Amino acid sequence: MDDEVIICRCEEVTKGEILKAIEQGAKTITGIKIRTRAGMGLCQGRTCGRLIARLLAERTAQVLEEIPPATVRPPVRATKMENLVTSHGE
Amino acid sequence: MVNKADAVVIGGGVIGNSIAYYLAKYGVDTLLIERKDLAAGTSGACDGFIFLQSKKPGFDLRLALESTRLYENLADELSYDIEYRKCGGMILIETEEQLKAIIELVDGQRKTGLDVKLMRIPQELEPILSGHIIGATHSPLDAQVNPFKVVLGFAQGAKRKGAQILTHMEVQAIRTRTVRGELKVDSVITERGEIKTNTVINAAGVHAPVIAKMVGLDLPIIPRRGQVLVTEPLPDLVTSLLVDAEYITLKLAPDHRGTDGLGLGFTLEQTASGNLLIGSTREFVGYDRRTTYHGIKAITQNVLRIAPALKEVNIIRSFAGLRPYTPDGLPILGKLRGVEGFIVAAGHEGDGIALAPITGKLIAELVVKGKPSISLDEFGLERFK
Protein backbone atom coordinates (compact mmCIF):
# COMPACT_ATOMS: atom_id res chain seq x y z
CA MET A 1 0.00 0.00 0.00
CA ASP A 2 1.32 3.39 -1.08
CA ASP A 3 1.90 6.07 1.61
CA GLU A 4 -0.42 8.44 -0.30
CA VAL A 5 -3.41 6.11 0.05
CA ILE A 6 -6.21 7.71 2.01
CA ILE A 7 -7.13 5.65 5.07
CA CYS A 8 -9.65 8.01 6.71
CA ARG A 9 -11.84 9.39 3.94
CA CYS A 10 -13.85 11.77 6.10
CA GLU A 11 -10.76 13.64 7.29
CA GLU A 12 -8.53 12.73 4.32
CA VAL A 13 -5.76 11.17 6.37
CA THR A 14 -3.15 9.19 4.41
CA LYS A 15 -1.35 6.00 5.32
CA GLY A 16 1.89 7.99 5.50
CA GLU A 17 0.42 10.31 8.14
CA ILE A 18 -0.75 7.35 10.19
CA LEU A 19 2.68 5.72 10.02
CA LYS A 20 4.22 9.00 11.18
CA ALA A 21 1.84 9.08 14.16
CA ILE A 22 2.94 5.55 15.05
CA GLU A 23 6.57 6.67 14.87
CA GLN A 24 5.68 9.51 17.24
CA GLY A 25 4.44 7.07 19.84
CA ALA A 26 0.79 6.28 19.06
CA LYS A 27 -0.04 2.73 20.16
CA THR A 28 -3.84 2.84 19.99
CA ILE A 29 -6.57 3.93 17.59
CA THR A 30 -7.25 6.87 19.90
CA GLY A 31 -3.55 7.76 19.83
CA ILE A 32 -3.71 7.89 16.01
CA LYS A 33 -6.85 9.98 16.21
CA ILE A 34 -5.42 12.75 18.38
CA ARG A 35 -2.33 13.02 16.17
CA THR A 36 -4.01 12.89 12.73
CA ARG A 37 -7.81 13.42 13.10
CA ALA A 38 -8.37 9.97 11.56
CA GLY A 39 -11.77 8.80 12.82
CA MET A 40 -12.98 12.27 13.82
CA GLY A 41 -15.17 12.84 10.78
CA LEU A 42 -18.78 12.13 9.88
CA CYS A 43 -18.50 8.33 10.03
CA GLN A 44 -16.56 8.40 13.33
CA GLY A 45 -14.01 5.81 12.27
CA ARG A 46 -16.41 3.14 11.13
CA THR A 47 -14.55 2.74 7.85
CA CYS A 48 -10.96 3.43 8.83
CA GLY A 49 -10.89 1.86 12.30
CA ARG A 50 -10.04 -1.63 11.07
CA LEU A 51 -7.42 -0.39 8.61
CA ILE A 52 -5.74 1.62 11.35
CA ALA A 53 -5.82 -1.35 13.72
CA ARG A 54 -4.04 -3.40 11.04
CA LEU A 55 -1.33 -0.78 10.59
CA LEU A 56 -0.87 -0.61 14.38
CA ALA A 57 -0.60 -4.39 14.62
CA GLU A 58 2.01 -4.47 11.83
CA ARG A 59 4.15 -1.63 13.12
CA THR A 60 3.94 -1.94 16.91
CA ALA A 61 4.10 -5.72 17.34
CA GLN A 62 0.60 -5.96 18.80
CA VAL A 63 -1.89 -8.71 18.09
CA LEU A 64 -4.63 -7.36 15.81
CA GLU A 65 -7.47 -8.90 17.79
CA GLU A 66 -6.16 -7.33 21.00
CA ILE A 67 -6.13 -3.73 19.75
CA PRO A 68 -9.13 -2.06 21.40
CA PRO A 69 -11.52 -0.25 19.06
CA ALA A 70 -11.87 3.54 19.39
CA THR A 71 -14.17 4.66 22.18
CA VAL A 72 -17.77 4.63 20.98
CA ARG A 73 -19.96 7.51 22.15
CA PRO A 74 -23.49 8.49 21.18
CA PRO A 75 -25.12 9.35 18.89
CA VAL A 76 -24.71 6.10 16.93
CA ARG A 77 -25.00 8.03 13.70
CA ALA A 78 -25.13 11.74 12.85
CA THR A 79 -28.37 13.10 14.32
CA LYS A 80 -30.04 16.46 13.83
CA MET A 81 -30.24 18.47 17.04
CA GLU A 82 -34.00 18.92 16.71
CA ASN A 83 -34.34 15.12 16.79
CA LEU A 84 -32.12 14.80 19.86
CA VAL A 85 -34.44 16.99 21.94
CA THR A 86 -37.65 15.30 20.85
CA SER A 87 -36.48 11.66 21.13
CA HIS A 88 -37.30 9.60 24.21
CA GLY A 89 -35.33 7.24 26.43
CA GLU A 90 -31.81 5.81 26.13
CA MET B 1 16.00 3.38 29.99
CA VAL B 2 17.57 6.37 31.78
CA ASN B 3 18.13 5.88 35.49
CA LYS B 4 18.40 9.47 36.61
CA ALA B 5 17.07 12.96 35.82
CA ASP B 6 17.22 16.43 37.37
CA ALA B 7 13.42 16.56 37.32
CA VAL B 8 10.71 13.98 36.73
CA VAL B 9 7.31 15.25 35.59
CA ILE B 10 4.40 12.86 36.13
CA GLY B 11 1.49 13.31 33.71
CA GLY B 12 1.39 13.68 29.92
CA GLY B 13 -1.44 16.17 29.66
CA VAL B 14 -1.24 19.84 28.82
CA ILE B 15 0.14 20.83 32.24
CA GLY B 16 2.85 18.15 32.40
CA ASN B 17 4.02 18.79 28.85
CA SER B 18 4.10 22.54 29.37
CA ILE B 19 6.21 22.09 32.51
CA ALA B 20 8.55 19.67 30.69
CA TYR B 21 8.95 22.18 27.86
CA TYR B 22 9.80 25.15 30.07
CA LEU B 23 12.13 23.04 32.25
CA ALA B 24 13.99 21.79 29.18
CA LYS B 25 14.15 25.36 27.89
CA TYR B 26 15.98 26.29 31.09
CA GLY B 27 18.40 23.44 30.42
CA VAL B 28 17.06 21.14 33.14
CA ASP B 29 17.57 17.44 32.41
CA THR B 30 13.88 16.49 32.37
CA LEU B 31 11.98 13.24 32.12
CA LEU B 32 8.19 13.10 31.65
CA ILE B 33 6.33 9.90 32.50
CA GLU B 34 2.81 9.19 31.30
CA ARG B 35 0.76 6.13 32.21
CA LYS B 36 -1.18 6.02 28.93
CA ASP B 37 -0.56 8.33 25.97
CA LEU B 38 -0.09 12.07 25.57
CA ALA B 39 -3.46 13.87 25.91
CA ALA B 40 -5.18 10.57 26.75
CA GLY B 41 -7.06 12.05 29.71
CA THR B 42 -8.59 15.44 30.42
CA SER B 43 -6.49 17.36 27.86
CA GLY B 44 -7.84 15.15 25.08
CA ALA B 45 -11.48 15.54 26.12
CA CYS B 46 -12.10 19.26 26.45
CA ASP B 47 -12.72 22.36 24.38
CA GLY B 48 -10.08 24.87 23.34
CA PHE B 49 -11.25 27.88 25.30
CA ILE B 50 -8.76 30.45 26.54
CA PHE B 51 -11.53 32.40 28.16
CA LEU B 52 -10.41 35.27 30.35
CA GLN B 53 -13.85 36.55 31.27
CA SER B 54 -14.66 33.57 33.48
CA LYS B 55 -11.66 34.19 35.73
CA LYS B 56 -12.07 35.71 39.16
CA PRO B 57 -10.85 39.32 39.22
CA GLY B 58 -7.52 39.41 41.05
CA PHE B 59 -4.72 36.84 40.99
CA ASP B 60 -6.71 34.22 39.04
CA LEU B 61 -7.35 36.65 36.17
CA ARG B 62 -3.81 38.03 36.37
CA LEU B 63 -2.39 34.54 35.86
CA ALA B 64 -4.75 33.96 32.92
CA LEU B 65 -3.71 37.27 31.32
CA GLU B 66 -0.03 36.27 31.57
CA SER B 67 -0.88 32.89 30.05
CA THR B 68 -2.61 34.58 27.11
CA ARG B 69 0.51 36.63 26.45
CA LEU B 70 2.56 33.43 26.28
CA TYR B 71 0.00 31.83 23.93
CA GLU B 72 0.33 34.68 21.43
CA ASN B 73 3.84 33.60 20.44
CA LEU B 74 3.63 29.94 21.33
CA ALA B 75 3.07 28.54 17.82
CA ASP B 76 6.20 30.36 16.59
CA GLU B 77 8.20 29.40 19.64
CA LEU B 78 7.29 25.72 19.29
CA SER B 79 7.26 25.75 15.45
CA TYR B 80 3.95 23.94 15.77
CA ASP B 81 0.52 25.04 14.57
CA ILE B 82 -1.66 24.95 17.69
CA GLU B 83 -4.62 26.56 15.86
CA TYR B 84 -4.41 29.60 18.10
CA ARG B 85 -6.92 32.26 17.15
CA LYS B 86 -7.68 35.43 19.08
CA CYS B 87 -11.36 35.18 18.30
CA GLY B 88 -12.87 37.18 21.17
CA GLY B 89 -15.51 35.89 23.52
CA MET B 90 -18.95 36.74 24.88
CA ILE B 91 -21.00 36.10 27.99
CA LEU B 92 -24.61 36.06 26.82
CA ILE B 93 -27.19 37.85 28.96
CA GLU B 94 -30.81 36.69 28.88
CA THR B 95 -32.44 38.47 31.85
CA GLU B 96 -32.27 41.89 33.60
CA GLU B 97 -31.11 40.10 36.75
CA GLN B 98 -28.15 38.56 34.92
CA LEU B 99 -27.37 41.96 33.43
CA LYS B 100 -26.94 43.51 36.90
CA ALA B 101 -24.62 40.73 38.11
CA ILE B 102 -22.56 40.81 34.92
CA ILE B 103 -22.08 44.60 35.08
CA GLU B 104 -20.51 44.10 38.51
CA LEU B 105 -18.23 41.31 37.22
CA VAL B 106 -17.12 43.39 34.24
CA ASP B 107 -16.21 46.27 36.61
CA GLY B 108 -13.96 43.99 38.67
CA GLN B 109 -12.32 42.52 35.58
CA ARG B 110 -11.60 45.95 34.11
CA LYS B 111 -9.86 46.92 37.35
CA THR B 112 -7.59 43.83 36.98
CA GLY B 113 -6.72 44.98 33.45
CA LEU B 114 -9.04 43.00 31.21
CA ASP B 115 -10.27 44.67 28.03
CA VAL B 116 -14.00 43.92 28.20
CA LYS B 117 -17.16 45.85 27.32
CA LEU B 118 -20.93 45.41 27.30
CA MET B 119 -22.75 45.04 23.97
CA ARG B 120 -26.46 45.77 23.74
CA ILE B 121 -27.04 44.00 20.40
CA PRO B 122 -24.73 40.96 20.33
CA GLN B 123 -26.68 39.66 17.29
CA GLU B 124 -24.80 42.25 15.19
CA LEU B 125 -21.56 40.39 15.80
CA GLU B 126 -23.00 36.84 16.00
CA PRO B 127 -26.18 36.66 13.87
CA ILE B 128 -26.81 33.09 15.01
CA LEU B 129 -27.87 34.30 18.48
CA SER B 130 -31.54 34.20 19.42
CA GLY B 131 -33.44 37.51 19.54
CA HIS B 132 -34.27 37.06 23.24
CA ILE B 133 -30.65 37.63 24.25
CA ILE B 134 -30.63 41.19 25.58
CA GLY B 135 -26.91 41.78 25.70
CA ALA B 136 -23.47 40.31 26.03
CA THR B 137 -20.06 41.13 27.31
CA HIS B 138 -17.29 41.08 24.76
CA SER B 139 -13.56 40.79 25.22
CA PRO B 140 -11.27 40.78 22.17
CA LEU B 141 -8.62 38.97 24.24
CA ASP B 142 -10.46 35.65 24.54
CA ALA B 143 -8.89 33.07 22.26
CA GLN B 144 -9.01 29.44 21.23
CA VAL B 145 -6.55 26.65 20.51
CA ASN B 146 -6.65 22.99 19.57
CA PRO B 147 -5.90 21.24 22.90
CA PHE B 148 -4.46 18.09 21.24
CA LYS B 149 -2.04 20.25 19.32
CA VAL B 150 -1.00 22.27 22.35
CA VAL B 151 -0.10 19.03 24.15
CA LEU B 152 1.74 17.56 21.14
CA GLY B 153 3.44 20.89 20.39
CA PHE B 154 4.76 21.24 23.95
CA ALA B 155 5.88 17.59 23.87
CA GLN B 156 7.75 18.07 20.60
CA GLY B 157 9.28 21.32 21.86
CA ALA B 158 10.38 19.65 25.09
CA LYS B 159 12.01 16.77 23.18
CA ARG B 160 13.84 19.17 20.87
CA LYS B 161 15.29 20.87 23.92
CA GLY B 162 16.49 17.56 25.31
CA ALA B 163 13.65 16.34 27.52
CA GLN B 164 12.71 12.67 27.41
CA ILE B 165 9.08 11.66 27.25
CA LEU B 166 8.12 8.11 28.20
CA THR B 167 4.51 7.13 27.54
CA HIS B 168 2.63 3.94 28.36
CA MET B 169 4.62 3.68 31.54
CA GLU B 170 3.15 3.75 35.02
CA VAL B 171 4.69 5.26 38.14
CA GLN B 172 4.48 2.66 40.90
CA ALA B 173 6.06 4.44 43.84
CA ILE B 174 8.07 7.48 44.86
CA ARG B 175 10.92 6.82 47.27
CA THR B 176 12.02 9.37 49.82
CA ARG B 177 15.00 9.53 52.17
CA THR B 178 15.54 11.42 55.38
CA VAL B 179 18.19 14.14 55.38
CA ARG B 180 18.75 15.89 58.73
CA GLY B 181 15.31 14.91 59.91
CA GLU B 182 13.57 16.06 56.70
CA LEU B 183 11.98 13.91 54.01
CA LYS B 184 13.42 14.40 50.55
CA VAL B 185 12.42 12.96 47.17
CA ASP B 186 14.94 10.29 46.19
CA SER B 187 13.63 8.33 43.21
CA VAL B 188 10.64 7.36 41.10
CA ILE B 189 9.89 3.67 40.69
CA THR B 190 8.35 2.57 37.41
CA GLU B 191 7.53 -0.80 35.95
CA ARG B 192 10.72 -0.47 33.89
CA GLY B 193 13.03 0.49 36.72
CA GLU B 194 14.09 3.18 39.17
CA ILE B 195 14.86 6.79 38.21
CA LYS B 196 16.96 8.78 40.69
CA THR B 197 15.89 12.41 41.03
CA ASN B 198 15.72 15.28 43.52
CA THR B 199 12.59 16.83 42.01
CA VAL B 200 9.23 15.28 41.21
CA ILE B 201 6.45 17.38 39.68
CA ASN B 202 2.98 15.94 40.09
CA ALA B 203 0.99 17.07 37.04
CA ALA B 204 -1.33 14.07 36.99
CA GLY B 205 -4.57 16.07 36.92
CA VAL B 206 -7.49 14.04 38.26
CA HIS B 207 -5.00 11.33 39.28
CA ALA B 208 -2.74 13.74 41.19
CA PRO B 209 -4.07 12.54 44.58
CA VAL B 210 -2.85 8.99 43.78
CA ILE B 211 0.66 10.32 43.09
CA ALA B 212 0.64 12.56 46.19
CA LYS B 213 -0.38 9.58 48.32
CA MET B 214 2.89 7.90 47.28
CA VAL B 215 4.70 10.41 49.51
CA GLY B 216 1.96 10.36 52.14
CA LEU B 217 0.22 13.62 51.21
CA ASP B 218 -3.46 14.30 50.54
CA LEU B 219 -4.71 16.54 47.72
CA PRO B 220 -8.35 17.76 47.62
CA ILE B 221 -8.80 17.09 43.89
CA ILE B 222 -11.78 15.13 42.61
CA PRO B 223 -12.93 14.34 39.05
CA ARG B 224 -15.83 16.34 37.69
CA ARG B 225 -17.29 15.15 34.41
CA GLY B 226 -17.86 17.56 31.54
CA GLN B 227 -19.91 16.32 28.60
CA VAL B 228 -19.44 18.01 25.23
CA LEU B 229 -21.16 17.62 21.84
CA VAL B 230 -19.46 17.77 18.43
CA THR B 231 -21.32 18.85 15.29
CA GLU B 232 -20.54 18.04 11.69
CA PRO B 233 -18.06 20.52 10.17
CA LEU B 234 -19.82 23.71 9.05
CA PRO B 235 -18.85 26.80 7.09
CA ASP B 236 -17.80 29.78 9.25
CA LEU B 237 -20.80 30.40 11.46
CA VAL B 238 -19.56 31.72 14.79
CA THR B 239 -16.47 33.82 15.42
CA SER B 240 -16.51 34.35 19.19
CA LEU B 241 -16.35 31.93 22.06
CA LEU B 242 -19.84 31.91 23.57
CA VAL B 243 -20.94 31.14 27.14
CA ASP B 244 -24.15 31.89 29.01
CA ALA B 245 -24.48 33.58 32.39
CA GLU B 246 -25.20 30.26 34.14
CA TYR B 247 -21.77 29.04 33.02
CA ILE B 248 -20.18 32.03 34.76
CA THR B 249 -22.19 31.37 37.94
CA LEU B 250 -20.86 27.79 37.93
CA LYS B 251 -17.30 28.98 37.42
CA LEU B 252 -17.34 31.63 40.12
CA ALA B 253 -19.17 29.52 42.72
CA PRO B 254 -17.45 26.11 42.51
CA ASP B 255 -20.01 24.43 44.78
CA HIS B 256 -22.99 25.50 42.72
CA ARG B 257 -24.37 22.38 41.03
CA GLY B 258 -27.16 23.84 38.92
CA THR B 259 -30.83 23.08 39.37
CA ASP B 260 -30.76 19.51 37.99
CA GLY B 261 -27.44 18.23 39.35
CA LEU B 262 -25.95 18.33 35.84
CA GLY B 263 -24.16 21.60 36.48
CA LEU B 264 -25.19 22.68 33.01
CA GLY B 265 -23.60 25.81 31.58
CA PHE B 266 -23.61 26.76 27.92
CA THR B 267 -20.37 26.96 25.93
CA LEU B 268 -19.84 27.02 22.18
CA GLU B 269 -16.87 27.43 19.87
CA GLN B 270 -16.23 26.71 16.23
CA THR B 271 -12.92 24.92 15.79
CA ALA B 272 -10.40 25.41 12.99
CA SER B 273 -11.85 22.28 11.36
CA GLY B 274 -15.33 23.82 11.31
CA ASN B 275 -16.93 21.58 13.95
CA LEU B 276 -18.90 23.26 16.71
CA LEU B 277 -17.97 22.09 20.21
CA ILE B 278 -20.97 22.59 22.47
CA GLY B 279 -20.77 22.15 26.23
CA SER B 280 -21.07 21.31 28.96
CA THR B 281 -21.94 19.67 32.23
CA ARG B 282 -20.13 19.62 35.59
CA GLU B 283 -21.02 16.38 37.35
CA PHE B 284 -19.53 14.47 40.26
CA VAL B 285 -19.73 10.86 39.05
CA GLY B 286 -16.31 9.47 39.95
CA TYR B 287 -14.10 8.41 37.05
CA ASP B 288 -16.97 7.61 34.66
CA ARG B 289 -16.14 9.11 31.25
CA ARG B 290 -19.28 8.01 29.44
CA THR B 291 -21.76 10.51 28.08
CA THR B 292 -25.42 10.20 29.01
CA TYR B 293 -28.73 10.59 27.24
CA HIS B 294 -29.79 13.06 29.94
CA GLY B 295 -26.63 15.14 29.45
CA ILE B 296 -26.75 15.15 25.65
CA LYS B 297 -30.41 16.17 25.63
CA ALA B 298 -29.87 18.96 28.18
CA ILE B 299 -26.90 20.39 26.25
CA THR B 300 -28.90 20.27 23.00
CA GLN B 301 -31.89 22.03 24.59
CA ASN B 302 -29.52 24.67 25.90
CA VAL B 303 -27.90 25.39 22.54
CA LEU B 304 -31.24 25.51 20.74
CA ARG B 305 -32.42 28.13 23.24
CA ILE B 306 -29.35 30.27 22.48
CA ALA B 307 -29.17 29.56 18.72
CA PRO B 308 -32.43 28.01 17.43
CA ALA B 309 -31.16 28.16 13.84
CA LEU B 310 -28.85 25.24 14.60
CA LYS B 311 -31.74 22.78 14.89
CA GLU B 312 -30.94 21.10 11.56
CA VAL B 313 -27.23 20.75 12.29
CA ASN B 314 -26.03 17.20 12.89
CA ILE B 315 -24.36 16.05 16.09
CA ILE B 316 -21.74 13.47 15.13
CA ARG B 317 -20.32 12.65 18.55
CA SER B 318 -20.40 13.33 22.24
CA PHE B 319 -17.46 12.98 24.59
CA ALA B 320 -16.74 13.56 28.25
CA GLY B 321 -13.62 14.60 30.13
CA LEU B 322 -12.88 14.58 33.82
CA ARG B 323 -11.97 18.03 35.10
CA PRO B 324 -9.72 18.10 38.16
CA TYR B 325 -11.97 19.97 40.61
CA THR B 326 -10.70 21.68 43.76
CA PRO B 327 -12.97 23.11 46.47
CA ASP B 328 -12.34 26.74 45.43
CA GLY B 329 -12.04 26.20 41.68
CA LEU B 330 -8.37 27.20 41.59
CA PRO B 331 -5.36 24.98 40.87
CA ILE B 332 -2.84 23.79 43.46
CA LEU B 333 0.59 25.03 42.40
CA GLY B 334 3.93 24.88 44.15
CA LYS B 335 6.05 22.97 46.64
CA LEU B 336 4.34 20.79 49.18
CA ARG B 337 5.39 21.12 52.81
CA GLY B 338 6.66 17.92 54.33
CA VAL B 339 8.52 16.43 51.35
CA GLU B 340 11.37 18.43 49.88
CA GLY B 341 11.55 18.25 46.10
CA PHE B 342 7.88 17.35 45.65
CA ILE B 343 5.95 19.91 43.60
CA VAL B 344 2.29 19.91 42.59
CA ALA B 345 0.73 21.50 39.51
CA ALA B 346 -2.79 20.11 39.26
CA GLY B 347 -6.43 20.87 39.93
CA HIS B 348 -7.05 23.37 37.13
CA GLU B 349 -10.60 22.07 36.63
CA GLY B 350 -11.74 23.65 33.34
CA ASP B 351 -8.80 26.03 33.06
CA GLY B 352 -5.98 23.64 32.23
CA ILE B 353 -5.71 24.67 28.61
CA ALA B 354 -5.94 28.39 29.40
CA LEU B 355 -3.41 28.27 32.22
CA ALA B 356 -0.98 25.67 30.80
CA PRO B 357 1.74 28.01 29.47
CA ILE B 358 1.94 30.18 32.59
CA THR B 359 1.78 27.11 34.86
CA GLY B 360 4.68 25.51 32.98
CA LYS B 361 6.75 28.66 33.03
CA LEU B 362 6.23 29.42 36.73
CA ILE B 363 6.82 25.84 37.88
CA ALA B 364 10.03 25.72 35.81
CA GLU B 365 11.14 28.99 37.45
CA LEU B 366 10.33 27.53 40.85
CA VAL B 367 12.56 24.52 40.10
CA VAL B 368 15.42 26.48 38.54
CA LYS B 369 15.47 29.69 40.58
CA GLY B 370 13.64 28.62 43.71
CA LYS B 371 11.20 31.49 43.21
CA PRO B 372 8.74 32.05 40.33
CA SER B 373 8.42 35.50 38.69
CA ILE B 374 4.76 35.64 39.81
CA SER B 375 4.05 34.53 43.36
CA LEU B 376 2.23 31.24 43.71
CA ASP B 377 1.41 31.82 47.39
CA GLU B 378 -2.32 32.12 46.68
CA PHE B 379 -2.27 28.70 44.99
CA GLY B 380 -0.65 26.76 47.83
CA LEU B 381 -2.22 23.65 49.31
CA GLU B 382 -2.18 25.39 52.72
CA ARG B 383 -5.19 27.51 51.74
CA PHE B 384 -7.49 24.53 52.34
CA LYS B 385 -6.37 23.96 55.96
Side-chain angles (χ1 to χ4, degrees):
Chain A
M1 220 178 1
D2 188 278
D3 272 9
E4 295 301 309
V5 167
I6 289 185
I7 301 283
C8 166
R9 287 193 212 162
C10 302
E11 295 290 329
E12 296 180 4
V13 183
T14 64
K15 182 188 169 196
E17 289 170 294
I18 287 167
L19 295 182
K20 194 173 156 215
I22 294 172
E23 268 168 41
Q24 289 168 347
K27 288 189 167 62
T28 60
I29 293 178
T30 306
I32 299 286
K33 177 174 158 176
I34 66 155
R35 289 171 178 86
T36 66
R37 288 188 67 83
M40 286 176 77
L42 271 180
C43 92
Q44 287 291 299
R46 272 169 199 84
T47 316
C48 62
R50 290 184 62 81
L51 292 170
I52 291 169
R54 259 176 51 198
L55 289 172
L56 277 166
E58 268 172 43
R59 304 289 168 131
T60 63
Q62 297 184 75
V63 179
L64 179 61
E65 292 72 28
E66 286 172 11
I67 294 176
T71 326
V72 179
R73 296 279 184 247
V76 176
R77 64 180 70 82
T79 308
K80 280 184 185 174
M81 282 201 246
E82 59 184 346
N83 297 334
L84 280 174
V85 291
T86 51
S87 60
H88 301 283
E90 296 247 36
Chain B
M1 196 183 83
V2 289
N3 55 13
K4 65 179 174 58
D6 290 343
V8 173
V9 180
I10 301 172
V14 75
I15 301 296
N17 278 292
S18 172
I19 295 168
Y21 170 72
Y22 285 100
L23 279 171
K25 193 176 162 185
Y26 276 116
V28 177
D29 169 31
T30 303
L31 176 67
L32 182 146
I33 303 175
E34 159 58 42
R35 181 169 63 115
K36 291 183 178 168
D37 193 359
L38 301 177
T42 307
S43 306
C46 56
D47 61 33
F49 274 51
I50 305 169
F51 199 65
L52 294 162
Q53 297 185 65
S54 64
K55 307 298 175 279
K56 285 176 195 164
F59 54 84
D60 186 23
L61 178 57
R62 264 201 298 278
L63 213 57
L65 281 163
E66 285 301 320
S67 211
T68 304
R69 276 175 210 127
L70 294 173
Y71 260 123
E72 282 177 9
N73 301 314
L74 196 59
D76 282 347
E77 190 178 327
L78 298 173
S79 307
Y80 202 95
D81 178 14
I82 56 171
E83 296 174 10
Y84 171 84
R85 195 168 65 92
K86 208 180 201 175
C87 51
M90 289 180 169
I91 304 172
L92 306 173
I93 301 163
E94 296 170 83
T95 66
E96 291 296 333
E97 197 189 343
Q98 287 174 357
L99 182 62
K100 266 187 246 161
I102 296 283
I103 286 173
E104 219 172 284
L105 176 72
V106 165
D107 259 4
Q109 288 174 331
R110 278 198 179 140
K111 279 177 194 142
T112 313
L114 180 65
D115 178 5
V116 55
K117 64 172 193 296
L118 270 177
M119 297 177 77
R120 291 319 294 237
I121 311 173
Q123 291 84 354
E124 284 177 357
L125 190 58
E126 300 294 353
I128 191 126
L129 294 174
S130 160
H132 82 276
I133 293 163
I134 57 172
T137 66
H138 183 265
S139 172
L141 297 179
D142 293 322
Q144 70 176 170
V145 287
N146 178 330
F148 294 159
K149 294 198 165 186
V150 177
V151 175
L152 297 171
F154 270 134
Q156 181 189 284
K159 280 195 248 179
R160 279 191 185 149
K161 296 200 182 292
Q164 288 206 60
I165 294 182
L166 300 175
T167 60
H168 303 94
M169 191 164 99
E170 191 159 354
V171 170
Q172 295 174 328
I174 297 166
R175 285 209 181 125
T176 52
R177 66 195 147 98
T178 311
V179 181
R180 281 177 230 100
E182 295 219 4
L183 275 188
K184 268 180 78 103
V185 165
D186 187 55
S187 70
V188 174
I189 313 291
T190 75
E191 56 200 292
R192 279 184 256 162
E194 181 173 14
I195 300 147
K196 286 272 182 191
T197 188
N198 290 323
T199 305
V200 167
I201 297 135
N202 178 1
V206 289
H207 305 289
V210 178
I211 301 298
K213 225 22 186 191
M214 292 177 180
V215 292
L217 297 170
D218 289 314
L219 292 180
I221 295 173
I222 49 174
R224 193 177 202 185
R225 181 171 68 189
Q227 301 189 44
V228 179
L229 306 183
V230 187
T231 72
E232 61 192 314
L234 300 165
D236 290 353
L237 199 63
V238 186
T239 304
S240 319
L241 307 178
L242 303 177
V243 308
D244 70 356
E246 179 68 5
Y247 173 83
I248 297 300
T249 310
L250 284 155
K251 287 283 291 180
L252 299 183
D255 277 335
H256 182 62
R257 290 178 192 204
T259 43
D260 51 3
L262 270 181
L264 186 70
F266 171 76
T267 65
L268 185 148
E269 69 169 322
Q270 186 161 21
T271 68
S273 311
N275 309 82
L276 303 181
L277 292 186
I278 306 166
S280 64
T281 60
R282 285 166 189 264
E283 309 158 83
F284 294 103
V285 289
Y287 289 87
D288 184 352
R289 277 184 64 175
R290 287 173 299 184
T291 56
T292 64
Y293 172 75
H294 186 40
I296 292 168
K297 188 170 177 176
I299 294 168
T300 309
Q301 279 166 341
N302 226 15
V303 63
L304 293 184
R305 183 186 86 243
I306 301 285
L310 294 175
K311 69 181 181 353
E312 303 220 356
V313 167
N314 279 300
I315 298 294
I316 61 169
R317 187 180 178 80
S318 59
F319 65 82
L322 302 171
R323 321 283 169 235
Y325 161 93
T326 67
D328 62 1
L330 298 177
I332 302 167
L333 306 173
K335 295 179 178 175
L336 286 198
R337 277 183 209 155
V339 184
E340 206 187 314
F342 192 79
I343 293 171
V344 176
H348 294 69
E349 196 169 350
D351 293 337
I353 300 300
L355 295 179
I358 192 66
T359 300
K361 182 168 182 271
L362 295 178
I363 296 293
E365 288 171 355
L366 178 67
V367 171
V368 174
K369 302 172 182 171
K371 196 174 183 292
S373 54
I374 299 173
S375 166
L376 292 175
D377 291 350
E378 312 273 2
F379 298 95
L381 178 63
E382 291 73 26
R383 71 184 190 268
F384 297 113
K385 295 196 173 141

